[in-house]
Amino acid sequence: MTDPRLSELAHLLPELKISTDPGDLEHHGRDWTRRWTPEPLAIAWPSSIEEVQGVVRWANAQGVAVVPSGGRTGLSGGAVAANGELVLSLDRMNRVLGFDPIDRTLTVQPGIALEAVHNAARERGLLYPVDFAARGSCQIGGNIATNAGGIRVIRYGNTRQWIAGLKVVTGTGDVLDLNRGLVKNASGYDLRHLVIGSEGTLGIVVEATLSLTSPPPPSQVMLLAVPAMDALMKVFAEARHRLRLEAFEFFTDRALHHVLAHGAQRPFDETHPFYVVTEFDAADERAEADALAFFEFCLGEGWVVDGAISSSEGQAAALWRLREGITESLAPHKPYKNDVSVRISAVPAFMAEMQDLLSAEYPHFDVVWFGHIGDGNLHINVLKPADLDNAVFVGQCEHVTSMLVETLARHGGSISAEHGIGLVKKPWLGSVRSEVEIALMRGIKAVWDPNGIMNPGKLL
Ligand code: MLT
Ligand code: ZN
């Protein structure tokens, strides 16, 4: 350890695993955005709350910035360390600490993968319902720091709804034990909810007590081919009315094109402008008959022109793959990503306006729309044309974001629905939050993290 600050850290916390290996710095200094060159000072892997506290106290004394690091599956640069920060990886704090069948809560360390939380809940006959494609790699601490959403928000809400208790090490190194699993707690400001979605700028989640729920009845997955956006919203309203929805997601033909090129099975002979993947309760024959009646009604109205329904878990997984495989299929193209939201009712008008602007200004762009349309949350990925210089592409994408910001403002939407602000959307925070709001956020940060060591440069 040549850096004296790190020697001091090793001296203070002899059990702490620290690395300055270039491979580790490269690997742990970046997230899925791949836009910044990682340049952390070192990576530290604490294995206890006391060690996290020790690292934060050392960081305050030494004036070293700390980047909390989970599975680094984020898409907004929230876990990037490109300025000599210490990356504090929660990988070693990945255990289930307890389960209470009366409270129906699972207490976990922050570095546990979301999928492991699902499995732990399932083994106890219960469900942790937040779910999305990165489930195998992302960690619950990161899910909490970003208030992760995903594919089942329409039924279960965001991560926020499932956090019954949180232990947090603040930017000053204090440990907070927030809400302690209480269902009711009217004792003033609920600081737990400040931490959820704070993107590591206030402190580090070191333990979480998660609420669990009863698993839903057996479900079915339906894929629908939809000829127009207006029809899609009618299908959505009808589905909400007739079915008990678990998920209602959409993607365009361009998205399907990329997933198919990535090895998925073509679902229909013909191509169609839009596709819906929806999952709903199908506990008995009556529920299945309702689903069929819903499909036939939509077909009769001309809102849907083709469809497929799962009759086995394998078929359900194959249909889901068409939606969940999109991100992976686009990754080799290094897409310029946007994750926006508008009110559900505003989706068709917003999309039409935005697509018109894009077609007029950048007809050569491959624009891929997909996402959680049942939540008004749209992912807009722009792919670089092969013959376009990267610097020119980046400049044009910045312009796309400006157009997006203006269009969102007209529709009262948000520049980030579920991926967070991080580094990627920071320049546009002021388009969705007022000056007073941002001043309040800065004030809160100054209290929790007076020396500004917690994930500086992100969000604010
Ligand atoms: C998704 O919904 O698939 C994720 O938010 C990831 C993405 O936007 O690429
Ligand atoms: Zn998403």
Side-chain angles (χ1 to χ4, degrees):
M1 219 65 75
T2 49
D3 189 303
R5 295 170 300 176
L6 294 177
S7 309
E8 170 73 8
L9 180 61
H11 173 73
L12 286 171
L13 301 169
E15 302 295 316
L16 181 69
K17 184 178 163 201
I18 308 172
S19 172
T20 53
D21 174 81
D24 284 336
L25 298 185
E26 162 83 20
H27 182 70
H28 288 86
R30 59 168 74 207
D31 63 9
W32 279 7
T33 48
R34 299 280 183 275
R35 212 196 282 183
W36 289 270
T37 309
E39 265 184 51
L41 169 69
I43 319 299
W45 288 268
S47 55
S48 66
I49 295 177
E50 293 71 27
E51 278 189 344
V52 174
Q53 242 186 324
V55 170
V56 171
R57 288 191 175 139
W58 161 87
N60 273 293
Q62 299 287 340
V64 173
V66 175
V67 175
S69 174
R72 298 181 314 286
T73 56
L75 296 164
S76 58
V80 168
N83 294 303
E85 304 94 332
L86 181 89
V87 174
L88 191 145
S89 166
L90 281 315
D91 285 356
R92 290 172 85 194
M93 295 174 68
N94 62 356
R95 284 181 302 123
V96 172
L97 299 175
F99 167 65
D100 193 306
I102 305 292
D103 293 329
R104 300 226 285 192
T105 54
L106 191 73
T107 298
V108 296
Q109 291 185 306
I112 188 168
L114 174 61
E115 194 164 51
V117 171
H118 289 162
N119 294 339
R122 194 178 307 115
E123 282 160 20
R124 290 157 177 89
L126 291 167
L127 173 80
Y128 178 71
V130 178
D131 192 19
F132 42 91
R135 61 183 76 79
S137 316
C138 69
Q139 297 177 2
I140 200 77
N143 293 183
I144 294 167
T146 54
N147 187 25
I151 56 177
R152 299 191 195 274
V153 169
I154 195 170
R155 173 87 158 249
Y156 299 106
N158 292 301
T159 299
R160 182 182 301 287
Q161 213 156 310
W162 299 92
I163 307 302
L166 264 191
K167 282 192 185 160
V168 179
V169 172
T170 66
T172 53
D174 293 304
V175 180
L176 305 180
D177 189 1
L178 303 173
N179 199 58
R180 305 179 301 283
L182 299 174
V183 175
K184 291 184 158 184
N185 182 6
S187 59
Y189 305 149
D190 195 336
L191 301 178
R192 160 185 56 153
H193 287 298
L194 263 185
V195 175
I196 301 168
S198 64
E199 304 188 23
T201 61
L202 301 180
I204 300 158
V205 172
V206 288
E207 193 179 298
T209 294
L210 311 173
S211 298
L212 307 178
T213 187
S214 301
S219 62
Q220 279 187 310
V221 178
M222 199 185 264
L223 178 74
L224 300 170
V226 180
M229 179 46 67
D230 280 349
L232 203 156
M233 299 319 282
K234 288 176 182 148
V235 173
F236 174 58
E238 201 62 29
R240 269 227 280 208
H241 181 58
R242 289 175 182 248
L243 308 173
R244 179 99 170 92
L245 293 179
E246 276 260 326
F248 192 94
E249 302 272 312
F250 94 115
F251 50 93
T252 57
D253 188 46
R254 289 310 300 163
L256 181 65
H257 164 85
H258 290 284
V259 181
L260 296 181
H262 215 68
Q265 289 280 338
R266 173 172 283 287
F268 306 124
D269 293 339
E270 313 263 308
T271 59
H272 304 277
F274 301 101
Y275 301 90
V276 164
V277 173
T278 180
E279 184 166 341
F280 45 86
D281 291 356
D284 49 31
E285 280 176 12
R286 189 169 156 208
E288 288 182 24
D290 284 349
L292 213 57
F294 154 75
F295 174 68
E296 277 166 5
F297 181 79
C298 292
L299 209 56
E301 293 292 321
W303 301 340
V304 157
V305 288
D306 210 342
I309 190 160
S310 67
S311 55
S312 69
E313 277 188 22
Q315 286 176 6
L319 294 180
W320 263 119
R321 189 178 167 204
L322 298 171
R323 162 65 184 91
E324 291 205 300
I326 296 170
T327 300
E328 203 184 321
S329 73
L330 299 181
H333 303 277
K334 299 204 169 101
Y336 184 70
K337 284 183 164 290
N338 288 284
D339 158 49
V340 306
S341 60
V342 289
R343 277 180 301 119
I344 304 166
S345 58
V347 165
F350 166 76
M351 261 189 87
E353 261 178 58
M354 200 55 217
Q355 191 53 58
D356 283 352
L357 283 170
L358 285 165
S359 307
E361 294 264 347
Y362 300 110
H364 55 300
F365 278 1
D366 185 4
V367 181
V368 182
W369 294 78
F370 63 101
H372 320 284
I373 199 161
D375 311 321
N377 176 187
L378 310 169
H379 298 313
I380 311 160
N381 285 218
V382 182
L383 308 194
K384 187 178 94 59
D387 55 354
L388 187 66
D389 175 73
N390 195 48
V392 176
F393 178 64
V394 170
Q396 293 181 340
C397 287
E398 298 284 307
H399 180 225
V400 168
T401 306
S402 319
M403 297 194 304
L404 203 48
V405 164
E406 281 167 28
T407 314
L408 283 166
R410 277 200 298 283
H411 290 277
S414 175
I415 191 70
S416 178
E418 59 170 7
H419 293 174
I421 295 293
L423 290 171
V424 172
K425 297 300 174 203
K426 195 170 80 157
W428 293 279
L429 182 65
S431 72
V432 286
R433 307 298 293 263
S434 71
E435 272 179 36
V436 178
E437 281 181 279
I438 293 175
L440 283 170
M441 291 209 268
R442 285 190 194 288
I444 290 165
K445 171 145 175 90
V447 173
W448 283 64
D449 176 30
N451 294 325
I453 59 152
M454 288 310 310
N455 218 6
K458 317 289 166 47
L459 177 56
L460 291 167

